[in-house]
């Protein structure tokens, strides 16, 4: 064989895997989604539902691997160190990819350098609610009571440096009051104390509160999105009290840095196709996540830059020091 023919053949062979993927042979084996949360948690339920839909599209199983602990650090680190071969992805939340960078002095993974954004799946609003026996009918009254009783009103959150804790502090800061944090690792424990009157307020994802709201055990005061929720249409948005305010968690899919761009683009398109199905969007809404109907890879990358900038300002305003 002539030398130039050999070089051409070698070049063609090196391009074959990319061409094969582009022609639709990917995936040829099961795809893994790593989570930082335990089985049965909100993100886990969402990821498993999305995985079921994608497995139908790909004709391959989507395996969920739970690696909880360390405020998302264990799972994120495992995902960052996974092979960038297009068969392992990270189903992440805001904490792992944004807020941890501002609340930890150091992380064993880099949310920016170690991952490639693939697709935003949905946004998860939070709700501030009061126990049924706490005599306030709206957020304004709750803030007025906190102002009249400095240090006398407590709010159940997941901790002062968690997503719910920072939301509670932001609202208190905007309202010119101080709320006492009572941290909980489990939402049911927090809600039992709020229902029992030991804590006056609670701030958690709406999915964790919906059943208690419908049962009349807690009274919703505000939802953290700019618009009211179709699931809770009578609950005012925080932007109605503080114009322009928006504070929603989100969940999305990321890939280890170096994952082939064509696979990233394929996964983005396939997730978008799934999310456009009305029954899927409705199911996600029932699970506490508002499906994102359209977002390309570059748009998701831009979204992530905006999130990092927004959170950097918020953390500075609250005076949060990394630990």
């Amino acid at each position: 064989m002539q030398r130039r023919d050999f070089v051409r053949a070698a070049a063609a062979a090196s391009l074959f895997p990319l061409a094969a993927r582009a022609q639709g042979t990917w995936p040829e084996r099961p795809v893994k989604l790593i989570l930082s949360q335990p089985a049965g948690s909100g993100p886990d339920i969402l990821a498993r539902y999305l995985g079921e839909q994608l497995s139908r599209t790909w004709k391959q199983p989507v395996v969920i691997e739970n690696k909880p602990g360390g405020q998302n650090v264990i799972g994120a680190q495992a995902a960052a160190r996974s092979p960038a071969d297009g068969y392992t992805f990270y189903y992440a939340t805001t904490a792992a990819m944004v807020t941890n960078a501002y609340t930890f002095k150091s992380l064993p993974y880099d949310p920016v350098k170690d991952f490639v954004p693939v697709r935003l799946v949905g946004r998860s609003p939070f709700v501030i609610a009061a126990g049924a026996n706490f005599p306030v009918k709206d957020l304004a009254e709750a803030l007025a009571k906190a102002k009249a009783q400095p240090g006398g009103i407590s709010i159940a959150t997941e901790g002062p440096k968690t997503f719910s804790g920072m939301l509670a502090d932001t609202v208190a800061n905007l309202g010119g009051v101080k709320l006492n944090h009572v941290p909980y690792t489990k939402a049911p424990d927090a809600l039992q104390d709020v229902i029992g009157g030991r804590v006056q307020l609670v701030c958690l994802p709406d999915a964790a509160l919906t059943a208690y709201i419908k049962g009349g055990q807690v009274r919703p005061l505000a939802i953290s999105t700019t618009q009211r929720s179709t699931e809770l249409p009578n609950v005012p948005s925080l932007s109605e009290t503080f114009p322009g305010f928006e504070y929603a968690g989100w969940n999305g899919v990321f890939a280890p840095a170096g994952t082939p761009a064509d696979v990233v683009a394929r996964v983005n398109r396939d997730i978008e196709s799934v999310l456009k199905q009305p029954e899927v969007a409705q199911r996600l809404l029932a699970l506490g996540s508002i499906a994102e109907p359209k977002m390309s890879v570059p748009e998701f990358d831009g979204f992530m830059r905006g999130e990092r900038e927004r959170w950097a300002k918020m953390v500075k305003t609250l005076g949060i020091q990394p630990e």
Side-chain angles (χ1 to χ4, degrees):
M1 181 183 290
Q2 295 281 341
R3 183 178 183 279
R4 63 170 177 263
D5 293 333
F6 177 81
V7 170
R8 287 172 184 165
S14 69
L15 291 174
F16 177 76
L18 182 64
R21 288 193 301 266
Q23 291 167 12
T25 58
W26 178 94
E28 297 177 309
R29 53 188 170 88
V31 176
K32 182 192 298 181
L33 282 181
I34 293 177
L35 269 77
S36 303
Q37 295 79 24
S41 63
D44 175 76
I45 294 169
L46 287 165
R48 289 179 189 277
Y49 179 70
L50 178 65
E52 289 172 6
Q53 309 308 309
L54 290 173
S55 68
R56 296 191 184 108
T57 299
W58 294 337
K59 304 296 188 292
Q60 290 285 353
V62 174
V63 179
I64 305 299
E65 186 172 301
N66 302 93
K67 289 186 173 293
Q71 295 187 44
N72 296 282
V73 171
I74 293 174
Q77 184 178 12
R81 293 179 177 178
S82 295
D85 58 3
Y87 285 90
T88 301
F89 295 86
Y90 182 37
Y91 190 91
T93 59
T94 316
M97 302 307 290
V98 180
T99 62
N100 273 1
Y102 303 107
T103 57
F104 284 81
K105 282 187 177 179
S106 64
L107 288 171
Y109 68 96
D110 188 317
V112 178
K113 295 180 181 178
D114 291 344
F115 293 96
V116 176
V118 178
R119 182 61 160 77
L120 183 67
V121 175
R123 304 172 197 255
S124 301
F126 278 62
V127 171
I128 296 176
N133 54 6
F134 184 50
V136 296
K137 67 177 185 295
D138 55 33
L139 183 63
E141 282 195 5
L143 293 175
K145 279 190 176 292
K147 189 168 290 187
Q149 305 173 44
I153 303 300
S154 296
I155 185 165
T157 70
E158 296 156 307
K161 292 188 177 182
T162 64
F163 204 85
S164 60
M166 285 189 277
L167 171 56
D169 275 344
T170 301
V171 171
N173 185 64
L174 290 169
V177 302
K178 173 69 175 176
L179 296 174
N180 292 327
H181 279 280
V182 183
Y184 294 84
T185 56
K186 297 179 181 179
D189 293 342
L191 286 159
Q192 288 307 310
D193 279 356
V194 172
I195 293 167
R198 291 177 287 278
V199 179
Q200 292 77 40
L201 302 172
V202 60
C203 178
L204 288 173
D206 70 340
L209 292 173
T210 300
Y212 296 88
I213 291 170
K214 291 180 178 178
Q217 295 159 296
V218 298
R219 182 185 306 109
L221 304 179
I223 193 164
S224 67
T225 44
T226 52
Q227 304 294 325
R228 295 194 180 198
S229 165
T230 55
E231 289 290 284
L232 299 169
N234 297 321
V235 180
S237 70
L238 277 171
S239 64
E240 293 175 41
T241 302
F242 306 112
F245 185 87
E246 180 177 14
Y247 189 111
W250 46 260
N251 49 95
V253 176
F254 295 78
T259 298
D262 60 312
V263 173
V264 169
R266 166 77 183 275
V267 175
N268 175 281
R269 290 193 303 270
D270 290 345
I271 292 176
E272 185 151 308
S273 179
V274 165
L275 295 179
K276 283 181 177 178
Q277 299 172 30
E279 63 274 18
V280 171
Q282 188 59 42
R283 177 60 178 157
L284 259 63
L285 188 61
L287 293 173
S289 182
I290 303 169
E292 188 67 34
K294 188 178 188 304
M295 186 170 283
S296 66
V297 173
E299 286 171 340
F300 190 23
D301 188 44
F303 171 84
M304 290 301 301
R305 288 196 301 271
E307 283 290 280
R308 290 189 289 269
E309 291 171 5
R310 184 166 70 91
W311 277 94
K313 292 177 183 177
M314 191 176 300
V315 167
K316 185 177 180 180
T317 299
L318 296 175
I320 292 175
Q321 297 299 316
E323 295 179 353

